Amino acid sequence: EAQVTQNPRYLITVTGKKLTVTCSQNMNHEYMSWYRQDPGLGLRQIYYSMNVEVTDKGDVPEGYKVSRKEKRNFPLILESPSPNQTSLYFCASGRARVSHNTEAFFGQGTRLTVV
Amino acid sequence: TQLLEQSPQFLSIQEGENLTVYCNSSSVFSSLQWYRQEPGEGPVLLVTVVTGGEVKKLKRLTFQFGDARKDSSLHITAAQPGDTGLYLCAGQSYNNNDMRFGAGTRLTVKP
């Protein structure tokens, strides 16, 4: 089954404790992206990647890191989480540079609470 | 400031009514997509519009891409409770296919 898998689904952590949210897709997609979703603000892009070893900042990259060492994985790293990073996070993947009809496939989301 | 502005932010209507939601931008997009998101789930693609002025129909949903490729609308005819959800528009840039989302319209259809 074609899917994007995020882990964990729920996470409560303390300020300053490094964490990683994993994202994996099995569709051989070049494009992967991380978004955070907050009430009234919708989906805001954190980082995206057009292919292996190619990553770019989105609209709200501060406090986050990503890596793309393999095509299927795109982990989101919070080196020193703060309460303002409490949010619902989504990973998405899609084809890139093939056509204008790049559908984004989303994971189930990770609800992160930083106390 | 959102690259894509969606309106209204919230909409609550009775079953059987018609409605239109809007997605506007000052930027030109190679394509524009509409997604629907239900609680606890990620967004799921409804439609992609590519050509300026294009109209696409999906059962009771009609999507239109503006002539200038900067805006889009979603019209729902005879809304049903099953249409309840968050409707998101997403614009795809010309240079690298990167996608940006609007804040969404949260639709509630009451029986």
Side-chain angles (χ1 to χ4, degrees):
Chain A
E1 180 189 354
Q3 59 185 6
V4 178
T5 304
Q6 291 179 231
N7 279 297
R9 291 288 311 275
Y10 302 91
L11 179 60
I12 301 174
T13 190
V14 296
T15 300
K17 185 177 181 183
K18 180 179 178 180
L19 67 93
T20 299
V21 184
T22 63
C23 175
S24 180
Q25 51 94 3
N26 62 0
M27 294 168 279
N28 201 36
H29 285 158
E30 291 87 3
Y31 174 88
M32 295 187 76
S33 183
W34 275 102
Y35 298 88
R36 59 177 290 173
Q37 188 173 34
D38 302 288
L41 297 176
L43 282 164
R44 292 182 294 167
Q45 191 176 54
I46 303 170
Y47 271 94
Y48 65 97
S49 169
M50 301 305 289
N51 214 324
V52 176
E53 302 291 2
V54 180
T55 62
D56 282 291
K57 294 178 180 179
D59 297 319
V60 288
E62 294 78 20
Y64 304 95
K65 283 174 57 177
V66 292
S67 69
R68 189 90 183 272
K69 294 186 171 62
E70 308 163 277
K71 201 171 190 179
R72 63 183 292 122
N73 296 321
F74 191 45
L76 178 69
I77 303 153
L78 284 72
E79 294 272 3
S80 183
S82 62
N84 65 12
Q85 291 178 299
T86 292
S87 186
L88 178 59
Y89 291 86
F90 285 101
C91 177
S93 75
R95 294 178 300 138
R97 299 188 185 276
V98 176
S99 73
H100 296 305
N101 294 328
T102 300
E103 174 181 357
F105 293 84
F106 284 83
Q108 296 272 67
T110 295
R111 185 165 292 282
L112 172 66
T113 303
V114 183
V115 298
Chain B
T1 303
Q2 295 278 149
L3 182 63
L4 287 152
E5 297 288 339
Q6 288 190 243
S7 60
Q9 189 175 355
F10 298 96
L11 185 58
S12 181
I13 61 171
Q14 292 295 135
E15 181 175 3
E17 292 183 6
N18 301 331
L19 66 111
T20 302
V21 298
Y22 301 92
C23 174
N24 295 299
S25 177
S26 57
S27 299
V28 178
F29 297 104
S30 65
S31 66
L32 197 140
Q33 298 176 324
W34 285 91
Y35 289 77
R36 180 162 161 254
Q37 183 180 15
E38 299 195 29
E41 302 290 333
V44 176
L45 181 68
L46 293 173
V47 78
T48 301
V49 284
V50 179
T51 307
E54 181 178 3
V55 176
K56 278 193 175 177
K57 292 195 174 186
L58 188 67
K59 296 183 181 178
R60 294 176 293 100
L61 279 60
T62 302
F63 304 85
Q64 182 160 12
F65 200 12
D67 291 341
R69 310 167 73 96
K70 294 181 179 181
D71 53 81
S72 180
S73 63
L74 159 58
H75 181 79
I76 301 179
T77 303
Q80 299 177 1
D83 296 326
T84 293
L86 178 67
Y87 289 82
L88 297 158
C89 67
Q92 202 156 42
S93 67
Y94 271 101
N95 59 347
N96 63 4
N97 280 359
D98 185 39
M99 235 178 295
R100 291 292 199 273
F101 283 80
T105 292
R106 189 165 296 281
L107 171 66
T108 303
V109 182
K110 300 174 188 173

